[in-house]
Amino acid sequence: MDNLIKIAQDSMWVKPDVPSFKSGDTITVTYRIVEGSKERLQSFRGTVIQIKGSGITKMFTIRKISDGIGVERIFPLYSPHIDHIEVNKVGVVRRARIYYLRGLTGKKARIKEKKRVFSK
C-alpha cells in the first residue's frame, strides 16, 4: 500500500532541479511574489539552520540578520513559488539543526567555511 501511495505522489509532483545543501550553508532563495495581477521576484539570503521532512513535504529554514534583528523564513523545498536556489557558501557544522545561532551575535555567530580546492 505504501509503495502505491509513493508512486502516485511521485507522478503527481514534478520535482525541479534543486541543488544539494545542508545545515550551515549560506544560500539565496529567489521566490515569486504575486500581488494582484503583478508578479515580482524577491531574494532571501541567509544560513540554513534546519532541514526537516522528507519527499515532497521537505522544508528548510533560513536565518539572516537584518538591521540587527534576526529574521527566519521557512520554505517548502518543492514550492512552485520558488524560482531558484543558489548555494553561496558551504559551511562546516557538526549538527543538523543549528538553533544555537539564535542566541549568538557578531563574530560568535560566524560559521566556518569549507575550503574548496580548484584544480587546473
Side-chain angles (χ1 to χ4, degrees):
M1 189 67 175
D2 291 334
N3 291 335
L4 186 61
I5 293 171
K6 187 176 272 190
I7 291 169
Q9 285 181 341
D10 289 342
S11 65
M12 287 174 28
W13 290 83
V14 178
K15 296 181 182 177
D17 289 338
V18 176
S20 66
F21 57 89
K22 57 183 180 25
S23 292
D25 293 354
T26 302
I27 65 172
T28 303
V29 179
T30 305
Y31 54 97
R32 264 186 221 95
I33 295 177
V34 179
E35 297 169 334
S37 62
K38 291 184 179 180
E39 190 175 292
R40 63 185 172 94
L41 295 177
Q42 187 170 352
S43 295
F44 192 89
R45 180 179 175 162
T47 305
V48 178
I49 63 168
Q50 80 166 344
I51 299 174
K52 65 180 179 179
S54 62
I56 299 162
T57 61
K58 189 177 256 190
M59 302 175 97
F60 60 98
T61 305
I62 300 180
R63 178 179 176 84
K64 74 173 183 177
I65 305 295
S66 179
D67 293 328
I69 298 171
V71 179
E72 291 184 10
R73 178 120 193 226
I74 301 170
F75 292 99
L77 187 60
Y78 299 110
S79 170
H81 295 289
I82 293 180
D83 191 51
H84 68 275
I85 299 172
E86 179 186 346
V87 179
N88 303 112
K89 293 180 189 176
V90 178
V92 178
V93 292
R94 295 182 179 184
R95 300 182 180 275
R97 301 209 164 121
I98 50 177
Y99 298 136
Y100 62 85
L101 279 182
R102 293 174 176 161
L104 301 178
T105 57
K107 287 187 176 181
K108 290 181 181 179
R110 283 191 291 186
I111 293 177
K112 207 181 277 187
E113 189 177 343
K114 189 173 189 178
K115 292 191 166 95
R116 297 182 193 175
V117 178
F118 296 105
S119 59
K120 293 183 181 181

